Amino acid sequence: MSHPDVLVVGGGIGGLGVAFSLTRQGQTVRLLESAPAFGEVGAGIQLAPNCTRILDDYGLLDEAKSLGVVPDAMVMRDAVDGSELTRLDLRHLEERYGCPYLVIHRSDLHGLLLRACERAGVELVNDATVTAYENTDGGARVTLASGESHEAGLVIAADGLHSAARTLLVDDRPVSSAYVAYRGTVPAEQPRVRSVDLSEVVVYIGPRCHFVHYGLRGGEMLNQVAVFESPKALAGQDDWGTPDELDAAFAGACDFVRDGLPFMWRDKWWRMFDRDPVMTWVHGRIALLGDSAHPPLQYIAQGAIMAIEDGWVLGEHVARNRAEDGTVDWTAALAAYEAVRPEHCRRVLTTSRKWGELWHLDGLAREQRNALLRARDTYDYSFTDWLYGPTALTPDQEPEMFTPIPLDSADVGEPVPARGTA
């Protein structure tokens, strides 16, 4: 079998994204996917302007918009009393950042990238489970469970949370948040869907839980996500995140949130893990990408976006380090990739953890948070400029982080006792 320029391990959103990016830059790419067919499990996904800007560069934004919904607003509410806390005007946000905020079904985004790879000539291989990675004199090699091996000038490990390649760089394990997510979609003809504004992305934040909903597929369905902290997980039990815990976690929530629980899929749920940030992603000619490098908690909706950004940045540095004869200085391209992406993703991972803590506060801290959110101006972008602007290609392009506002700076009057449940 001939050797491609690049091997990509993993056929998820990150793997397909980088395969397309590098093919655009003149590289021959073979993608190895362990499953017998390509597909994506889940429901909705949010794509902020730092992602839709890249889809636009790829020539894929119009197709993405046709498959998804471009909402008018993002609204944050209190899960206990249902009151509005703050909002973003997403149409104005599009004017500020030059690209829209888009919500789309995860399988539709995956399919869009898969079709783009097929058109670009990416070699797609299924039933290829990679069990080992190693560097060679001229590049890198992977070995499959079947015993077969593949070689290329570069191997990109987009093999997810449980990456086999990550062990080459760091001896760590996924970190459990003790939170679990339930998902579900509601058809548009249901009374529940007719009662909501499908032009809004809404998150209800509450003590140790939150609930998200927004429209998908042009308003054909309502996407719902319910997330809560599992007492069983905190107690160290193996069987955690079960449907009885879902119902108990939201027992104290407002009527609208509780009325959405019967529509959740109850036969599968997603336990929420991340990993501590690492700053080394490259081992010779083997490079981590996406969740293999930086699996986040989902609170600022940047997991798939970071993976797509990784692929775009690597592609741009390949273009900068490609000679006239088409050969690439992989050492220089990978050094430039590693110089900028780990620090950005470290910021996202740590901010995601802090944002999750903020969402799930109780008692006085909840009241302080609510007061600060209610005082925020709709058009204050101090907490999004670091994230939604153009993706940095070099460290000097990375914008400054926001300045946190202390909770105790809020004036809420008398302390409020903590609630037993949401």
Side-chain angles (χ1 to χ4, degrees):
M1 187 178 292
S2 63
H3 295 172
D5 297 321
V6 180
L7 280 172
V8 176
V9 179
I13 287 170
L16 292 172
V18 71
F20 179 72
S21 175
L22 295 183
T23 303
R24 287 175 80 227
Q25 303 298 347
Q27 304 305 296
T28 57
V29 179
R30 179 181 299 152
L31 186 149
L32 306 175
E33 164 58 32
S34 60
F38 286 94
E40 186 66 74
V41 178
I45 189 171
Q46 301 180 49
L47 302 180
N50 56 317
C51 182
T52 55
R53 186 179 297 109
I54 292 172
L55 293 181
D56 190 33
D57 184 52
Y58 285 169
L60 301 174
L61 181 56
D62 287 343
E63 184 180 357
K65 289 167 68 173
S66 74
L67 295 169
V69 171
V70 179
D72 294 331
M74 179 180 292
V75 183
M76 183 169 283
R77 296 181 176 274
D78 186 282
V80 177
D81 59 27
S83 63
E84 182 172 323
L85 300 176
T86 192
R87 68 170 50 220
L88 279 172
D89 180 336
L90 294 180
R91 298 296 182 167
H92 187 269
L93 181 132
E94 179 177 354
E95 294 176 9
R96 182 176 183 85
Y97 298 115
C99 283
Y101 199 102
L102 174 69
V103 292
I104 188 171
H105 201 289
R106 184 176 287 268
S107 64
D108 290 341
L109 175 63
H110 186 271
L112 176 153
L113 292 170
L114 180 63
R115 291 188 294 275
C117 285
E118 291 171 338
R119 292 192 301 268
V122 175
E123 183 185 356
L124 301 165
V125 181
N126 290 102
D127 285 316
T129 301
V130 173
T131 57
Y133 296 78
E134 61 182 316
N135 283 295
T136 64
D137 289 341
R141 176 189 301 120
V142 300
T143 303
L144 307 187
S146 65
E148 181 183 346
S149 66
H150 294 255
E151 293 186 26
L154 171 68
V155 171
I156 299 172
D159 51 353
L161 174 69
H162 301 287
S163 169
R166 187 179 173 105
T167 60
L168 298 171
L169 298 162
V170 59
D171 181 18
D172 70 346
R173 298 289 181 272
V175 179
S176 173
S177 69
Y179 276 78
V180 63
Y182 279 70
R183 309 182 195 279
T185 54
V186 189
E189 61 270 15
Q190 289 283 343
R192 177 171 180 81
V193 179
R194 294 197 294 268
S195 71
V196 304
D197 185 346
L198 291 177
S199 72
E200 294 181 343
V201 176
V202 184
V203 55
Y204 290 78
I205 57 176
R208 298 170 297 282
C209 68
H210 73 269
F211 187 91
V212 181
H213 72 76
Y214 50 84
L216 285 179
R217 291 181 174 161
E220 292 180 5
M221 62 179 66
L222 180 71
N223 181 66
Q224 298 190 146
V225 186
V227 176
F228 62 92
E229 186 179 54
S230 163
K232 291 180 183 177
L234 295 176
Q237 298 180 30
D238 292 333
D239 181 26
W240 61 276
T242 49
D244 59 304
E245 288 194 301
L246 167 70
D247 296 329
F250 289 94
C254 62
D255 290 346
F256 179 83
V257 170
R258 289 201 315 275
D259 290 346
L261 299 183
F263 295 97
M264 311 310 291
W265 303 324
R266 290 182 168 244
D267 58 345
K268 54 185 171 182
W269 50 90
W270 286 260
R271 295 169 176 176
M272 294 171 53
F273 292 82
D274 68 354
R275 286 190 190 246
D276 293 332
V278 292
M279 305 306 288
T280 302
W281 294 6
V282 176
H283 176 70
R285 292 289 184 86
I286 301 166
L288 305 182
L289 180 142
D291 279 359
S292 70
H294 48 73
L297 300 178
Q298 88 283 29
Y299 298 109
I300 55 175
Q302 287 284 309
I305 294 175
M306 284 192 290
I308 290 172
E309 284 184 311
D310 290 346
W312 181 81
V313 168
L314 185 55
E316 292 298 303
H317 285 301
V318 164
R320 293 183 178 195
N321 292 280
R322 185 178 58 229
E324 288 187 7
D325 65 0
T327 59
V328 175
D329 183 343
W330 287 116
T331 300
L334 291 173
Y337 170 69
E338 193 175 49
V340 66
R341 291 305 296 162
E343 170 58 18
H344 174 82
C345 295
R346 183 197 65 78
R347 293 178 174 190
V348 174
L349 262 64
T350 55
T351 302
S352 295
R353 287 176 173 180
K354 291 296 185 183
W355 200 235
E357 293 172 7
L358 184 72
W359 282 15
H360 299 139
L361 294 172
D362 199 357
L364 174 60
R366 166 179 166 257
E367 297 295 327
Q368 291 171 324
R369 175 206 64 203
N370 287 0
L372 292 174
L373 288 172
R374 289 190 176 106
R376 176 191 163 272
D377 186 273
T378 297
Y379 301 99
D380 175 7
Y381 295 106
S382 59
F383 289 94
T384 54
D385 280 344
W386 73 279
L387 195 57
Y388 292 170
T391 301
L393 285 171
T394 55
D396 60 289
Q397 294 178 356
E398 191 71 33
E400 291 186 11
M401 286 289 285
F402 59 88
T403 301
I405 301 174
L407 282 176
D408 60 11
S409 66
D411 182 9
V412 297
E414 293 298 319
V416 174
R419 299 171 185 264
T421 61

